[in-house]
Amino acid sequence: MDDLIKEKVKFDQVDYPNEHEMWIKIIRKQQNHNYKTKKHSYKPKVILTAIMFTIVLSATPVFAKYTTEILDWMRNMNRTGVITSLEHGFGQEVNKAVENEAGVLNIHNVISDQNGTTINFSLDIDHDYPINAAGFEQALLKINDGKEIKMEANAVYNQETDQLVGILHTDEGIPHNSNVTLQLRGVTETQWKSVELKDVVQSNTFPEKVTINQDGISHIEFTSNGYQNGQYTLDYLINLEESNNIEHAYLSYKIQEENIASFGITHKRPQPNVIKRSDSLEIQKEVVEKLGVFLSYSDTVSYKPDTWSLDFQYNQDLAKKSTFVMDIDEKIEIGSVQLQFNELVITPSEMKLYFDRKYIDSNSNVVHFNYRQFKLRIGEQELSGDYFNDYISFEPQKLIKDITNKEISLALNDAMVSYEAEKQDKVELTNISDVPKTVKTELNGYPIDITYYKKGNDLIVESESKNEQFGGITQNVIYKNGKRIFAETRSNDGVFRKQKQVETFKNIKEKDITLNFFLYTVNEDRAKTIVLQ
């Protein structure tokens, strides 16, 4: 039961940024240029020598010329590796078009290597309404009239060219000298809308509810806010009407018309018509009161079931010949999880460090362990990485040369460690009423303030620590008649460096209870460096 509950806390409550979240960030950046922003199924064991890799990169001429809107689109995605590959001739120009009743599909170029395939495209489509982005029901790549590969496909509207501009991507590569058929079907056009929420931050009493009543969005409930350790955080619920077509909704932020970047997490929906979000902004405390808050959401305005089918031949093998693959045998233990690094794949467009993950027996009370920062160092160049299911991805800023003469290492920093509390870690809540009471205690040496009160038939427990190293209580538990009672809702699932937690325990009638701490997080350095070469 302990393991099941821990798994629920770790995985069921939080959806770390997925494909939809990625595209929200892309569209944000496409619109305002102020926001910054992947599966492993094809991994042939062809290892080219680093010497060959160096020679190919050093000798590659810069000859490819690509349309401005395509390169701007890739820059807005922060895909600098793809841009560099195209500009140095590692991609192949296609420049073919196909038309149907819905519009004209243009395939501009393709880059394919051991880390995957990226196709840049644009779509001229007639519309009498404003659009911002588009998704596709299906995107298929058929190779040599046999193998079919599903691709991720999305696009945003480019106002200057009056086109939808986007990419298709798969983690699989296209073999040299292949006859390729690309099929796109069913385009859904969306419009991104924004509603200003006035006086959300400036109000003396933080608003618990803001009415929207627009496009199927009912209202927003704010569950908590606060400023800690250089970050302003907001937790909120976006309530939708039962019949609506809103899939993506979030808050965006401005200060005097300047867009402010935020890091957001979309949690699993507590109900089908409720979007649960947590946002964090790195801003100075004195400017929080100047923060403008906006509800941003996508509204589907059109669906066209048409299919585009286009044939081309892929015969560009330079990117694959320029791939450097290095076998690795290094392990690190992260709590109860062991990561076995086994392969580093460096291509002109992307770098991937692959690993196998397995759970190991551990006598410690560490439940979960997560590094927030991954750095790949190749000589003097340092690249920031993103962590995925079985690899860490790094985006090249320029072509890497002379790999054999450079040390390659992986640095891991900024850990968030989740611990299981001990049996003695508890506090007595006495004389519970609708009047808030605060009791001071400690958890593993960290000072904790527990504020508790009744709200109707429910017990509200707020826990907070002024110690910035303490990440917060993730979950508390109440024992009753041999059964464990967990909170119905929690404001903070340990995603951010956030010392405050608000829990709601349903239908608690007792005036005196024992509150047992269950899980808590601590922000620790735990820096590790692994030399890969």
Side-chain angles (χ1 to χ4, degrees):
M1 182 59 72
D2 279 345
D3 291 340
L4 286 175
I5 293 170
K6 293 171 190 173
E7 292 300 305
K8 179 178 178 61
V9 172
K10 288 186 290 182
F11 301 111
D12 289 351
Q13 292 295 330
V14 178
D15 276 347
Y16 288 95
N18 54 19
E19 178 188 350
H20 300 305
E21 185 73 17
M22 177 186 74
W23 284 105
I24 285 176
K25 292 179 180 179
I26 292 168
I27 292 167
R28 281 176 170 177
K29 185 166 183 180
Q30 175 75 8
Q31 291 172 333
N32 56 56
H33 304 288
N34 269 334
Y35 292 93
K36 294 184 179 180
T37 23
K38 297 178 186 172
K39 311 177 192 188
H40 176 47
S41 55
Y42 179 64
K43 202 169 56 169
K45 288 287 185 178
V46 178
I47 300 179
L48 299 177
T49 67
I51 295 176
M52 181 177 181
F53 182 83
T54 301
I55 293 173
V56 171
L57 287 187
S58 300
T60 301
V62 180
F63 62 86
K65 301 295 183 183
Y66 299 100
T67 57
T68 301
E69 63 268 18
I70 292 297
L71 293 183
D72 285 346
W73 160 242
M74 300 307 295
R75 287 188 182 95
N76 289 337
M77 284 190 63
N78 283 340
R79 288 308 315 272
T80 55
V82 173
I83 295 173
T84 300
S85 296
L86 292 174
E87 292 182 329
H88 286 77
F90 290 100
Q92 174 178 313
E93 291 194 72
V94 177
N95 294 327
K96 295 186 69 173
V98 61
E99 183 176 6
N100 59 27
E101 293 182 357
V104 180
L105 172 68
N106 303 273
I107 301 301
H108 298 280
N109 49 62
V110 182
I111 179 169
S112 186
D113 54 39
Q114 191 161 323
N115 280 326
T117 297
T118 298
I119 300 176
N120 295 295
F121 73 93
S122 60
L123 184 59
D124 291 298
I125 195 164
D126 292 331
H127 52 89
D128 298 324
Y129 37 78
I131 58 175
N132 297 102
F136 296 85
E137 189 174 44
Q138 186 182 72
L140 279 181
L141 202 62
K142 298 182 179 181
I143 300 176
N144 295 329
D145 298 323
K147 185 176 182 179
E148 291 188 353
I149 302 172
K150 291 184 179 180
M151 305 191 79
E152 299 171 359
N154 278 273
V156 298
Y157 179 67
N158 186 308
Q159 189 172 6
E160 294 180 2
T161 62
D162 192 26
Q163 292 176 318
L164 287 165
V165 182
I167 67 166
L168 300 107
H169 181 77
T170 174
D171 285 335
E172 299 198 36
I174 303 176
H176 184 47
N177 287 332
S178 294
N179 295 315
V180 181
T181 299
L182 173 67
Q183 285 188 351
L184 278 180
R185 186 184 74 214
V187 57
T188 299
E189 297 170 296
T190 58
Q191 183 181 103
W192 285 87
K193 299 183 179 180
S194 181
V195 178
E196 184 176 4
L197 310 180
K198 294 184 179 296
D199 301 326
V200 169
V201 178
Q202 293 77 8
S203 175
N204 292 327
T205 58
F206 184 71
E208 294 185 357
K209 181 178 178 179
V210 175
T211 301
I212 303 297
N213 289 337
Q214 178 174 309
D215 292 330
I217 301 178
S218 172
H219 62 276
I220 301 176
E221 295 179 45
F222 292 90
T223 56
S224 72
N225 75 325
Y227 190 90
Q228 291 280 355
N229 198 28
Q231 292 183 333
Y232 180 69
T233 56
L234 276 174
D235 296 307
Y236 54 94
L237 305 173
I238 301 175
N239 290 264
L240 311 174
E241 296 173 0
E242 290 188 6
S243 57
N244 66 84
N245 59 356
I246 302 296
E247 293 186 11
H248 309 301
Y250 58 93
L251 294 185
S252 57
Y253 307 92
K254 291 184 179 182
I255 294 179
Q256 297 178 348
E257 301 304 317
E258 180 182 352
N259 295 286
I260 304 301
S262 67
F263 175 75
I265 291 292
T266 300
H267 303 259
K268 284 191 177 295
R269 293 195 178 193
Q271 285 129 24
N273 65 325
V274 176
I275 298 174
K276 182 179 180 182
R277 290 271 305 178
S278 297
D279 290 347
S280 177
L281 297 78
E282 292 190 3
I283 57 177
Q284 296 178 349
K285 189 173 184 179
E286 55 268 25
V287 302
V288 170
E289 62 180 18
K290 301 178 182 178
L291 197 64
V293 182
F294 299 80
L295 170 66
S296 300
Y297 61 95
S298 63
D299 188 20
T300 299
V301 294
S302 174
Y303 169 75
K304 297 178 176 65
D306 305 73
T307 298
W308 290 266
S309 183
L310 187 148
D311 299 328
F312 64 92
Q313 187 174 38
Y314 185 76
N315 53 23
Q316 172 61 284
D317 206 27
L318 183 58
K320 291 180 182 178
K321 288 181 178 178
S322 303
T323 295
F324 173 65
V325 181
M326 183 171 68
D327 284 333
I328 296 170
D329 185 13
E330 296 287 347
K331 299 177 184 177
I332 63 168
E333 291 186 7
I334 304 178
S336 59
V337 175
Q338 182 186 83
L339 301 184
Q340 169 70 61
F341 295 104
N342 49 51
E343 191 175 61
L344 175 64
V345 179
I346 299 178
T347 69
S349 64
E350 191 176 7
M351 303 178 192
K352 289 184 179 180
L353 177 60
Y354 292 99
F355 59 81
D356 293 321
R357 182 207 323 262
K358 74 174 183 178
Y359 290 92
I360 57 177
D361 293 331
S362 176
N363 295 323
S364 72
N365 62 339
V366 175
V367 177
H368 185 58
F369 196 124
N370 179 45
Y371 279 105
R372 294 186 182 90
Q373 188 182 95
F374 301 89
K375 298 284 188 180
L376 185 68
R377 296 191 180 108
I378 302 178
E380 298 300 319
Q381 186 173 168
E382 184 177 80
L383 306 171
S384 297
D386 295 314
Y387 183 92
F388 295 94
N389 187 49
D390 63 347
Y391 64 84
I392 305 172
S393 175
F394 303 89
E395 191 73 25
Q397 303 299 314
K398 58 184 180 181
L399 293 180
I400 306 293
K401 301 180 181 180
D402 303 322
I403 291 179
T404 52
N405 299 324
K406 292 181 172 65
E407 180 180 276
I408 303 176
S409 64
L410 174 70
L412 304 93
N413 295 282
D414 196 11
M416 183 176 69
V417 186
S418 179
Y419 291 95
E420 181 180 9
E422 305 291 344
K423 291 183 178 180
Q424 69 270 16
D425 295 328
K426 54 190 176 183
V427 64
E428 300 298 327
L429 308 184
T430 60
N431 195 22
I432 300 172
S433 67
D434 57 357
V435 178
K437 297 178 181 63
T438 300
V439 58
K440 295 183 180 295
T441 185
E442 286 190 355
L443 177 54
N444 194 23
Y446 296 101
I448 309 291
D449 290 344
I450 304 293
T451 301
Y452 59 97
Y453 54 92
K454 291 292 290 289
K455 189 174 183 179
N457 294 325
D458 301 335
L459 171 65
I460 310 299
V461 177
E462 300 178 3
S463 56
E464 186 172 11
S465 175
K466 300 302 182 183
N467 189 304
E468 293 187 351
Q469 186 179 352
F470 189 73
I473 293 178
T474 309
Q475 194 170 38
N476 291 311
V477 62
I478 297 171
Y479 292 94
K480 184 178 179 181
N481 299 326
K483 295 182 178 180
R484 291 191 287 195
I485 301 173
F486 291 93
E488 184 79 11
T489 61
R490 302 191 306 276
S491 66
N492 175 31
D493 295 300
V495 177
F496 299 125
R497 297 171 174 271
K498 188 170 173 181
Q499 288 82 7
K500 186 174 182 179
Q501 170 72 283
V502 181
E503 294 180 292
T504 301
F505 294 86
K506 303 293 287 186
N507 299 319
I508 301 298
K509 299 178 181 179
E510 289 76 11
K511 296 294 184 182
D512 304 301
I513 64 169
T514 300
L515 182 73
N516 296 267
F517 304 133
F518 188 60
L519 295 174
Y520 64 96
T521 62
V522 179
N523 300 306
E524 302 178 1
D525 184 19
R526 296 210 182 197
K528 289 181 180 288
T529 299
I530 303 171
V531 177
L532 305 177
Q533 171 176 286

